[in-house]
Amino acid sequence: MRYEGIVYRPPSEARSYILQVTIGCSHNACTFCDMYKGKKFRVRPIQEVKEDIDMARKYYGPNIRRVFLADGDALILKNSKLLEILSYLKKAFPRLERIGIYGNPRGILTKSVEELKELKDAGISIVYMGIETGDPELLQKINKGVNVEEMIEAGKRVKESGIALSVTIILGLGGPEMLEQNARGSAYVINKIDPDYVGALTLLLREGTPYYDQVMAGEISVSTPYNIFQELRILIENLELTNCVFRSNHASNYFPIGGTLPQDKEKMLRTLDVILANEDLKHMPPDFSRLL
Ligand code: SF4
């Protein structure tokens, strides 16, 4: 297997064989993100991808059950190419049960529901999409490249195709001044999409990003841990979902919160109320050790 640069995957894909079908992110312009800054986006030649699959088959044997397709927005690949890769994977690993893929909203919108259904039938079982925020002003400020309506449309298309959808939002984006806006806007978009999984991460500032420079220039403040829990509480309080696994237990989070919505909503809110009643937490400053 050959990998180019740092390879990212969702925590739930820790046991998957990761296959880079694209290198980098075709958007690569969100102001807070440095994941693929060192990589110029390109689609890997199909022959190269097949060679990697052959190498994985030799190294791991035929019993791989889970595969994750990277990099940033692998779903931007043309369907014909993705279908060829999926079919090759299935031949190499006949016991394959699950194939996950990163898809950013711009990439998803290049596909119709029918095309997404084709991918589902060919083996794609879950798409991971970063919403980041559902607030229109913040979405523009972080340069996500889509507006609220497009974000909702992208999420709905995946849902309609029958592929499971996992989305992430980022607590702390926009700082304490935009805390309520970020939480309510994100809840609105998530409710419209009604995804299967939601992950609420906490912003990690990355040196070298435009967002970091804005913080250093005093244009954006950094949320305190108390602000983050306030924001999470507003978010959860406003979520109206039919059946969704909600997690805020990423390495970026201060305290793990999770459950299934709607049934665990009150329990999660009660936990947050206990946390928010902690006087010490109220006086904790922004965590600048996160300025890595
Ligand atoms: S779309 Fe995702 S991977 Fe690409 S720049 Fe934005 S946050 Fe980073």
Side-chain angles (χ1 to χ4, degrees), residues 91-125:
K91 277 187 202 126
F93 308 113
R95 301 178 73 186
L96 204 52
E97 289 167 0
R98 167 185 158 123
I99 303 173
I101 189 166
Y102 269 141
N104 78 24
R106 281 159 49 109
I108 294 169
L109 289 173
T110 63
K111 303 201 185 299
S112 64
V113 174
E114 287 63 38
E115 284 175 309
L116 290 166
K117 276 183 182 159
E118 268 181 2
L119 295 177
K120 179 181 185 283
D121 294 341
I124 295 281
S125 36

Side-chain angles (χ1 to χ4, degrees), residues 25 27-30 32-37 72 104 132 144:
C25 164
H27 180 51
N28 214 10
C30 297
F32 62 89
C33 174
D34 71 346
M35 285 165 75
Y36 302 107
K37 284 286 178 255
N104 78 24
E132 331 305 357
K144 183 68 185 171

Side-chain angles (χ1 to χ4, degrees), residues 175-203:
E177 292 78 12
M178 299 192 81
L179 170 167
E180 183 148 0
Q181 235 173 296
N182 189 24
R184 288 189 188 278
S186 297
Y188 172 81
V189 169
I190 294 169
N191 289 345
K192 289 279 179 195
I193 296 173
D194 200 15
D196 304 279
Y197 303 89
V198 172
L201 318 180
T202 301
L203 179 69

